[in-house]
Amino acid sequence: MTEPADLDAPAAEAPLDGRLALLLSMAMFVLVVDTSIMNVSISAVVDDLGTTVSGVQSAIALEALVSAAFILIGSKVGDLIGRKRAYVLGLCGYAVGATAMTLAQGLTAVIIFWAVVGGIGASLLLPSMQSLIHGNFQGAAQKKVYAMVGAAAAVAAAVGPLLGGFITTFLSWRVAFALEVVVIAAVLSGIGLVHDVPYTGPRSVDVVGSILSAVGMGGLVMGILVWQEGGESVGALLLLGAAALAGLVFWLRHRKRAGKATLLDPDLFRSALFRFGVSGQLMQQIALGGTMIVLPIYLQMVLEYDAMKAGLTLAPLSLTMFGVALLAGRRAGRRRPAIVIRRGFLALTAGLVVLIPIVPRATSGWYLVIPLMIAGSGLGLLVSQLNNYTLSPIEEERVSEAAGVNSAAGSFGLSFGLAFAGAIMLATLAGAFTQLSDDSTVLDAGQQEQVASALEDDAELMTNTQLEEQLVGQPADVQAEIIRINTDARPLALQVALLIPILAGLGGIANSFRMARKPDPAPSSATDSTLG
């Protein structure tokens, strides 16, 4: 006679679907590696498309901005149309962007399809992936998949510069983006393995909050990009962005008091730990964005490195970040998180400060290795702590929403750092070039006026080789003088631009002291199942 089944015993967990886990990891890898490829390929993209460094830099900043502006909206869209459908649309948006990069003949296509359509795809992809992992796996299998997807993101960040540099140098940057399309196609081929996760919450949409969020973040970053390109209405855009963000705060509180649906719950910010964590995430990403636009430009436009050499030079930063993050994560319980975060910002800032006197003197990337390893160590410490610190105080049922806010803050910080550092770099270049031209004893008054007029219309960072091609036909002494001015002005512009990530690092240090005054967050199992 058989014994009756124990009705109180938990149901057996379904085995891990390894193929689905691999496909989700591949999707995350593409999501992260995409911008790394663009950064180390700036010079090649500029040459092939006949555009400018500032134009490509603006496209990179815009892609991060679109992702930031729409990620909270993308989460709600996934609730309304289905997480699986949002996941597919997000992948298709990314595939459209990568295809456009493969075929583009001008910057316009890059901005429309890669930056805007691809950015919207990213805003749909990340929150829907979060929900699908949570709904398609349970228990230990779920934690393993979150770990696999997180590891894929970390590996992409570490090897992205090397992979992008290798493909761009020995094949073409277009091949790198074509391979992204192939990976996305492989991921979509397994979409039948994905079970949709139904949404049972309220279906009302905070339309006004969504508009204010997009206009607020968009206005600030677009104002900086317009200033960089010498456009008009910069002040109006910045004012519009600031006013929209202030209006968003008022609107969310008003909707919350009225018991209506909000884009995000303002009560999340009642937690001091969450506020400090989001602030730290913002500062880290501003520093990262500024660094990862200034250094590739320096390597490719000053040292005239190809993409492979640029990727190899940046490898100490990314690989050290990856290694330190792993080590610090395993030993996380031995130090207060606030202290580890402070040390991370200190190391990041110190590494960047050391770069300042090196930039005008370096004749190869070897001079940058030690500072980049120091900065990478700081980033690794931050990566190991900030996500868990920010989300630990949040209740499990609200952790997905909190993670969305955290991701939006990070993406906005990245886009702001990219845009602001690039704009400061070009503004300094124009000022330095004009001053050095005015002080020149070789250039006559007419030539000095011609330089000032050209810079007013289009200040652009270029290599000495590119400048020599433009100066063909000029007297030899004039050519030599302008090359000398360019050689002196570019390092100064890059030094000043590095002040943006340095100031962000100092802001992170100050924020860490506020963290240290609060009790440490208790470890939360909810953060183990969240994509940072």
Side-chain angles (χ1 to χ4, degrees):
M1 181 177 178
T2 59
E3 295 182 2
D6 185 356
L7 298 179
D8 294 328
E13 292 181 4
L16 174 66
D17 187 336
R19 185 184 172 199
L20 177 56
L22 176 61
L23 293 174
L24 290 167
S25 300
M26 290 166 62
M28 178 57 80
F29 184 90
V30 168
L31 190 70
V32 175
V33 82
D34 184 74
T35 302
S36 294
I37 294 173
M38 195 67 158
N39 281 333
V40 298
S41 304
I42 287 177
S43 180
V45 174
V46 167
D47 290 343
D48 282 4
L49 298 186
T51 184
T52 63
V53 173
S54 62
V56 176
Q57 177 256 327
S58 296
I60 296 172
L62 184 61
E63 195 268 350
L65 170 63
V66 171
S67 176
F70 288 97
I71 195 166
L72 296 175
I73 303 169
S75 179
K76 189 63 180 179
V77 169
D79 293 342
L80 297 177
I81 68 173
R83 277 66 177 268
K84 182 176 179 178
R85 187 173 297 168
Y87 174 71
V88 171
L89 288 175
L91 286 170
C92 290
Y94 236 68
V96 167
T99 302
M101 293 301 294
T102 306
L103 304 175
Q105 299 301 310
L107 186 61
T108 301
V110 175
I111 291 174
I112 294 174
F113 296 106
W114 182 76
V116 177
V117 176
I120 292 174
S123 71
L124 288 168
L125 185 58
L126 190 59
S128 60
M129 188 184 301
Q130 169 88 30
S131 299
L132 290 174
I133 293 174
H134 193 77
N136 281 262
F137 302 92
Q138 291 80 40
Q142 184 184 96
K143 291 186 177 182
K144 287 180 181 178
V145 176
Y146 273 113
M148 285 179 63
V149 175
V155 170
V159 305
L162 290 170
L163 183 63
F166 179 85
I167 295 174
T168 299
T169 301
F170 295 104
L171 297 171
S172 166
W173 59 274
R174 296 180 187 274
V175 172
F177 288 100
L179 290 175
E180 287 189 18
V181 178
V182 173
V183 173
I184 293 171
V187 173
L188 286 172
S189 71
I191 198 64
L193 300 173
V194 179
H195 301 289
D196 203 358
V197 180
Y199 175 69
T200 57
R203 304 188 70 81
S204 54
V205 179
D206 181 5
V207 177
V208 174
S210 300
I211 294 173
L212 288 172
S213 171
V215 171
M217 289 186 280
L220 291 178
V221 175
M222 287 302 297
I224 295 170
L225 293 177
V226 169
W227 170 50
Q228 171 183 290
E229 296 297 328
E232 299 178 355
S233 304
V234 173
L237 283 170
L238 294 175
L239 183 61
L240 175 65
L245 289 180
L248 177 63
V249 174
F250 172 81
W251 174 258
L252 292 175
R253 291 175 176 173
H254 169 72
R255 294 275 290 186
K256 181 70 175 181
R257 286 194 298 267
K260 297 180 180 179
T262 57
L263 177 66
L264 60 96
D265 187 353
D267 287 347
L268 287 171
F269 293 91
R270 291 183 181 275
S271 167
L273 298 182
F274 182 75
R275 291 198 307 272
F276 295 157
V278 168
S279 299
Q281 186 76 257
L282 181 70
M283 292 298 107
Q284 178 206 0
Q285 293 298 320
I286 291 174
L288 182 61
T291 302
M292 293 310 291
I293 198 64
V294 170
L295 290 181
I297 289 175
Y298 169 74
L299 294 169
Q300 296 174 72
M301 308 310 292
V302 176
L303 298 185
E304 301 197 30
Y305 275 8
D306 60 23
M308 186 67 212
K309 289 181 179 178
L312 285 171
T313 304
L314 292 173
L317 177 74
S318 57
L319 295 176
T320 304
M321 177 181 69
F322 178 64
V324 170
L326 285 179
L327 292 175
R330 291 174 181 173
R331 304 176 63 182
R334 302 187 183 184
R335 296 287 187 275
R336 291 193 63 194
I339 301 302
V340 177
I341 290 169
R342 183 185 305 165
R343 290 175 179 173
F345 277 116
L346 282 169
L348 171 60
T349 306
L352 296 175
V353 168
V354 172
L355 284 174
I356 296 288
I358 292 177
V359 162
R361 297 171 175 84
T363 55
S364 79
W366 286 106
Y367 290 88
L368 311 185
V369 170
I370 299 301
L372 290 181
M373 290 182 69
I374 296 171
S377 298
L379 286 170
L381 292 175
L382 295 174
V383 168
S384 73
Q385 299 295 320
L386 271 175
N387 191 50
N388 188 68
Y389 181 96
T390 305
L391 301 180
S392 287
I394 306 301
E395 300 90 343
E396 186 166 0
E397 62 271 14
R398 303 173 68 194
V399 75
S400 292
E401 181 183 16
V405 175
N406 193 39
S407 295
S411 295
F412 173 69
L414 186 68
S415 65
F416 186 86
L418 286 164
F420 200 28
I424 291 293
M425 179 180 61
L426 288 179
T428 305
L429 178 72
F433 214 108
T434 300
Q435 184 61 52
L436 290 170
S437 298
D438 290 343
D439 294 342
S440 173
T441 57
V442 176
L443 303 180
D444 60 36
Q447 291 166 332
Q448 292 172 357
E449 179 64 28
Q450 185 178 4
V451 167
S453 177
L455 288 171
E456 184 178 354
D457 294 336
D458 183 22
E460 184 56 47
L461 192 73
M462 61 176 63
T463 66
N464 281 340
T465 301
Q466 292 169 329
L467 191 57
E468 286 170 357
E469 293 173 356
Q470 292 199 6
L471 292 172
V472 172
Q474 295 291 331
D477 60 337
V478 172
Q479 291 187 36
E481 181 68 358
I482 293 180
I483 293 296
R484 181 193 68 80
I485 291 172
N486 191 50
T487 301
D488 292 342
R490 291 176 308 170
L492 177 61
L494 292 161
Q495 285 175 306
V496 174
L498 278 173
L499 294 178
I500 302 305
I502 288 172
L503 288 174
L506 292 174
I509 293 170
N511 189 60
S512 71
F513 281 97
R514 300 169 68 197
M515 290 178 170
R517 296 191 192 107
K518 296 291 182 180
D520 293 337
S524 170
S525 60
T527 56
D528 292 335
S529 57
T530 303
L531 298 178

